[in-house]
Amino acid sequence: MCGVFGFTGPEDPKLLRRMADAVHHRGPDGEGFFHHGQFSMGMKRLSIIDLQGGGQPIFNEDESLALCFNGEIYNYVELADELAAKGHVFRTRSDTEVIVHAYEEWGEDCLDRLNGMFGFALYDKRKETVFLARDRTGQKPLYYYHQNGRFVFGSEIKAILEHEGVERSPNLAAIDPYLSLRYVPQPQTMFAGINVLPGGHKMVLNVVRNELRVERYWDIPMHEGRYRSEGEYYEEFEELFHDAVRLTMRSDVPVGTYLSGGVDSSLITADVARLSDKLNTFSIGFNSSIDETPQARALASQLGTKHHEVNVTVDDFEDLPRVVWHMERPLGDVLVLAYYKLAEATSKHVKVVLGGEGADENYAGYSFHKVICWTERYRRLMPRWLNRGLVTPTLDAIPVWLLDKGFIYPAYLGKRGKARIVDYLRNYHDRNLNENYIALRAMWETDERRAVYSEGFKKKVSEDWIKPPRTDRGPFLDRLLHLQFDDWLQDNLLLRQDTNTMAHSIELRLPFLDHRLIEQAFRMPKKLKVRGFTDKYIERRLARKLLPPENVTRSKNPFYFPLEHFHENPKVRELLRMTLDESRIRKRGYFDPKSVKNLIDKMESGEFLYLKQVLSLVILELWHMVFIDRERLW
């Protein structure tokens, strides 16, 4: 695990030094630099595999290829054996060197052979080209700037900003999707001119001509045709899962697991515990009724792990500016603070930790999966005129306290939340799948965003960031799941995990994002993912072999930051005053001060949406203060 960076143009050792220092936290164990012609690159290393011999850059036999690599290739042992049999000579035992020889052997198609997470740059001296690629699901980040004859790249934007030719400017077009989604959808970032290389993509830069080619090399295969038997799918799933866990455990340093108490992390922990007799497990809580820490503690005791619990308190809000600095692309959810504190505690015990991300996306584990599928079935039965003329008016008349009983979060749904549900159902017939997907999860609806914008900023806003689904093939549920791999997973879940773990120099590995498991999930029939009210059906079937019954049947508990217990605290109020006072809002120019004040006043009701909306504005302003104004807030 490392941080990589580089640029085209004259050699500049001072710039490489600044870029390295900017991402030191990603790799405090070592560093390396490379320059040839009009290209320079470097890396900071976190030593996980081949601790003594895995330094970078790594070269091929005649040193015509040079590689700087961030990530892990889990099947490097098998690939190294295959490549050695073809005559390639290895100088190290590292997974990094496998990429160099795989490129020699198979060219750009080497990406099809790699099982792992990665963001790398491979320079070819003969061709004077740079081959850059990111893993299939975007577990490891890779950003780039390509303007004004310059090309600059890095594992983090902070390294790119060290280049004097890159201007620190906010990307105004990213603010509207940020408020709606809670994150900036790729390939944009919140910085003007700086883009994300999406997961499953590669790019090749001709250094001499400054020409850049970007292409997708992997996509989820959508199933068409007949299905196999349930037993065949289950046997294949069990074999693939055990192998994915086995591969992600490859390490020359101790490995632990995140353990939330839910079925995903519990299943991984149980499988790791079978293979490791000194397993450390880690859980996060808030000292509130929503915590799953008691369930995680009980399972850890049964599995015999050394368990650690972390509780976030209101005192931890002082770390929020630092968390925003690490995130770089703001995430409008204060839950990022919990992941930061969890990683901080974990780093005191292990250098590698396994997590459960990806299972919900593979096997339909979120509540909104069921809601959209139910609504789609309702749409087929209910004519548009009857839905608008009778059903939604009736729903609108139901008292909010009654609807609140069906709200999956322990927080209070409130009037605004009720209005959101009615609007979703009323307009479902007239939206495409992606629009309904966004409408159901949106932090701010279109009218709410426009109401809070200043008059001047409203003229600059459009919704052209809302795209139609990339495919209309395959079963409805699979098309819904497919949407998440392009943004929700990469730009939200994986971003917050990578930045927060790397902030503390630890490596997160995610067995459920093994591409073999993903591809198999999209070959399965719906009933192996959702069956009645049971989600992740095939995963729970395997869990019955490895876990106690209570862990198998427990429904997914929404993991969210219980702001209703924190928002009246003086420290939170001071954070609001610092970021959302009238003078700052006017200076920034995006929002109407009166509308923001009105929103803050509505927080007093404790309504779920108002609390989350206010904190999303706080995080956006902190991002500006840290990166644009360059204020020191810690």
Side-chain angles (χ1 to χ4, degrees):
M1 190 63 60
C2 310
V4 300
F5 45 86
F7 57 90
T8 57
E11 184 175 10
D12 188 344
K14 292 183 179 179
L15 174 57
L16 279 176
R17 177 75 267 154
R18 294 197 306 271
M19 296 175 89
D21 292 344
V23 296
H24 176 76
H25 49 277
R26 295 191 73 94
D29 298 333
E31 64 184 23
F33 304 100
F34 170 83
H35 175 78
H36 182 270
Q38 290 292 302
F39 179 72
S40 302
M41 66 179 175
M43 57 80 63
K44 293 289 294 184
R45 185 185 184 210
L46 183 67
S47 303
I48 303 294
I49 300 290
D50 192 4
L51 306 186
Q52 301 302 318
Q56 301 180 36
I58 277 187
F59 302 88
N60 62 337
E61 293 90 339
D62 64 5
E63 298 197 353
S64 61
L65 299 175
L67 174 72
C68 283
F69 165 66
N70 169 32
E72 297 291 346
I73 305 302
Y74 301 132
N75 63 333
Y76 76 98
V77 174
E78 293 79 5
L79 282 175
D81 289 344
E82 181 180 357
L83 289 163
K86 292 178 179 291
H88 294 269
V89 179
F90 284 78
R91 300 173 181 171
T92 73
R93 297 185 299 102
S94 72
D95 59 324
T96 305
E97 190 175 0
V98 164
I99 300 174
V100 176
H101 297 299
Y103 180 81
E104 280 187 301
E105 186 67 31
W106 300 300
E108 294 178 21
D109 290 340
C110 69
L111 298 172
D112 298 332
R113 306 286 186 123
L114 306 180
N115 183 337
M117 54 180 181
F118 51 83
F120 66 74
L122 190 153
Y123 181 75
D124 189 323
K125 292 181 181 178
R126 296 191 181 98
K127 297 179 181 178
E128 293 190 84
T129 59
V130 190
F131 176 48
L132 302 103
R134 195 171 174 209
D135 64 77
R136 294 170 178 83
T137 57
Q139 296 175 63
K140 291 291 102 185
L142 195 59
Y143 300 95
Y144 67 98
Y145 174 92
H146 187 226
Q147 290 186 13
N148 305 317
R150 298 184 180 91
F151 179 79
V152 191
F153 73 93
S155 296
E156 294 192 6
I157 295 172
K158 287 183 280 291
I160 295 174
L161 293 174
E162 291 298 327
H163 196 295
E164 294 177 352
V166 179
E167 184 180 356
R168 288 174 178 258
S169 299
N171 176 14
L172 301 185
I175 292 175
D176 196 62
Y178 163 79
L179 291 186
S180 177
L181 303 172
R182 287 168 280 180
Y183 52 85
V184 179
Q186 60 183 326
Q188 294 188 77
T189 70
M190 195 60 81
F191 294 90
I194 299 178
N195 290 325
V196 183
L197 178 66
H201 282 68
K202 62 184 178 181
M203 59 184 178
V204 177
L205 175 76
N206 185 300
V207 175
V208 176
R209 296 195 296 269
N210 191 36
E211 295 175 350
L212 188 65
R213 167 171 57 89
V214 180
E215 295 178 359
R216 179 184 291 274
Y217 70 85
W218 179 83
D219 202 356
I220 295 169
M222 301 299 286
H223 181 81
E224 292 182 322
R226 299 181 63 182
Y227 292 108
R228 295 182 290 156
S229 71
E230 183 173 319
E232 289 177 287
Y233 283 114
Y234 175 75
E235 290 179 8
E236 182 183 39
F237 168 72
E238 182 174 13
E239 181 181 347
L240 287 174
F241 174 77
H242 289 314
D243 196 52
V245 172
R246 178 185 66 85
L247 289 178
T248 50
M249 287 183 65
R250 281 180 169 169
S251 171
D252 292 337
V253 297
V255 176
T257 68
Y258 282 161
L259 180 59
S260 70
V263 67
D264 310 326
S265 62
S266 297
L267 190 56
I268 290 171
T269 299
D271 208 39
V272 173
R274 294 188 309 120
L275 306 172
S276 173
D277 57 356
K278 295 181 180 180
L279 179 62
N280 282 268
T281 53
F282 306 87
S283 298
I284 187 78
F286 307 98
N287 287 319
S288 75
S289 59
I290 73 164
D291 284 3
E292 288 186 307
T293 48
Q295 294 91 331
R297 188 186 316 128
L299 180 61
S301 177
Q302 292 183 59
L303 295 177
T305 74
K306 184 177 181 181
H307 192 57
H308 311 267
E309 290 182 9
V310 184
N311 280 293
V312 178
T313 71
V314 72
D315 291 335
D316 294 316
F317 271 82
E318 66 185 22
D319 286 328
L320 193 55
R322 187 189 297 271
V323 174
V324 171
W325 182 79
H326 280 290
M327 300 297 300
E328 301 181 317
R329 281 190 288 164
L331 293 181
D333 191 339
V334 75
L335 188 61
V336 296
L337 185 59
Y339 287 98
Y340 180 86
K341 303 305 292 188
L342 177 61
E344 181 180 50
T346 301
S347 67
K348 299 174 183 177
H349 302 277
V350 299
K351 210 170 184 178
V352 175
V353 63
L354 274 58
E357 275 80 1
D360 290 312
E361 288 72 23
N362 286 350
Y363 311 112
Y366 295 118
S367 60
F368 70 78
H369 293 143
K370 290 192 281 286
V371 170
I372 293 182
C373 286
W374 290 337
T375 316
E376 177 65 14
R377 191 174 304 168
Y378 166 85
R379 180 191 66 81
R380 295 171 184 170
L381 298 173
M382 183 67 61
R384 179 187 283 101
W385 65 268
L386 190 57
N387 176 61
R388 282 180 170 266
L390 177 62
V391 177
T392 51
T394 301
L395 188 63
D396 199 23
I398 293 176
V400 67
W401 63 265
L402 187 59
L403 278 182
D404 188 59
K405 291 183 180 297
F407 188 44
I408 62 169
Y409 288 87
Y412 179 49
L413 173 67
K415 294 180 180 179
R416 188 62 218 174
K418 173 190 170 182
R420 183 74 62 82
I421 292 172
V422 173
D423 176 79
Y424 164 75
L425 189 59
R426 178 188 295 119
N427 294 299
Y428 184 87
H429 288 71
D430 303 314
R431 294 170 170 147
N432 65 38
L433 177 57
N434 194 36
E435 290 168 340
N436 280 316
Y437 167 69
I438 291 173
L440 190 61
R441 298 183 303 108
M443 177 78 73
W444 303 68
E445 287 193 320
T446 301
D447 62 331
E448 294 174 308
R449 302 196 302 272
R450 294 197 66 81
V452 80
Y453 290 146
S454 66
E455 289 302 318
F457 192 68
K458 284 179 185 177
K459 300 173 183 177
K460 302 176 182 179
V461 172
S462 73
E463 289 192 340
D464 59 1
W465 54 270
I466 301 179
K467 309 295 184 184
R470 282 199 300 109
T471 181
D472 58 0
R473 296 171 52 230
F476 180 84
L477 177 60
D478 288 352
R479 286 187 279 125
L480 172 60
L481 298 178
H482 187 270
L483 290 173
Q484 299 170 102
F485 282 84
D486 280 350
D487 65 345
W488 168 263
L489 183 67
Q490 294 186 43
D491 300 327
N492 182 15
L493 306 189
L494 298 181
L495 174 66
R496 72 189 182 192
Q497 284 286 32
D498 174 78
T499 53
N500 283 314
T501 51
M502 294 309 298
H504 300 289
S505 305
I506 61 174
E507 175 176 296
L508 176 69
R509 299 180 176 183
L510 305 171
F512 280 112
L513 289 182
D514 186 305
H515 69 278
R516 299 170 300 168
L517 279 171
I518 297 170
E519 291 166 359
Q520 197 232 7
F522 279 81
R523 293 194 299 268
M524 292 179 187
K526 176 185 174 182
K527 66 180 181 180
L528 292 182
K529 287 169 263 193
V530 178
R531 184 172 297 190
F533 290 94
T534 302
D535 58 14
K536 296 183 280 195
Y537 180 84
I538 196 168
E539 187 185 343
R540 293 182 188 277
R541 179 174 168 179
L542 175 59
R544 286 198 292 269
K545 293 179 63 174
L546 301 177
L547 297 172
E550 60 270 22
N551 292 87
V552 177
T553 58
R554 184 182 299 126
S555 60
K556 183 178 178 63
N557 187 26
F559 184 50
Y560 81 107
F561 205 108
L563 289 169
E564 62 271 21
H565 301 308
F566 291 86
H567 74 278
E568 294 180 345
N569 188 279
K571 290 193 175 183
V572 177
R573 290 292 160 172
E574 173 59 22
L575 183 63
L576 296 180
R577 186 206 62 76
M578 180 179 75
T579 56
L580 300 182
D581 70 283
E582 183 175 344
S583 61
R584 273 198 179 273
I585 293 170
R586 291 192 184 279
K587 174 186 174 184
R588 204 65 69 195
Y590 308 148
F591 306 115
D592 172 58
K594 291 182 179 179
S595 298
V596 174
K597 183 180 184 304
N598 182 50
L599 187 63
I600 294 173
D601 291 341
K602 289 179 178 179
M603 277 182 63
E604 305 305 326
S605 69
E607 289 194 20
F608 182 75
L609 279 172
Y610 292 137
L611 291 168
K612 293 178 77 69
Q613 286 175 346
V614 169
L615 266 296
S616 70
L617 295 181
V618 168
I619 289 172
L620 180 61
E621 179 56 29
L622 285 175
W623 179 89
H624 280 80
M625 295 167 72
V626 169
F627 285 104
I628 304 304
D629 302 338
R630 307 182 81 167
E631 295 186 37
R632 293 293 299 178
L633 301 179
W634 64 89

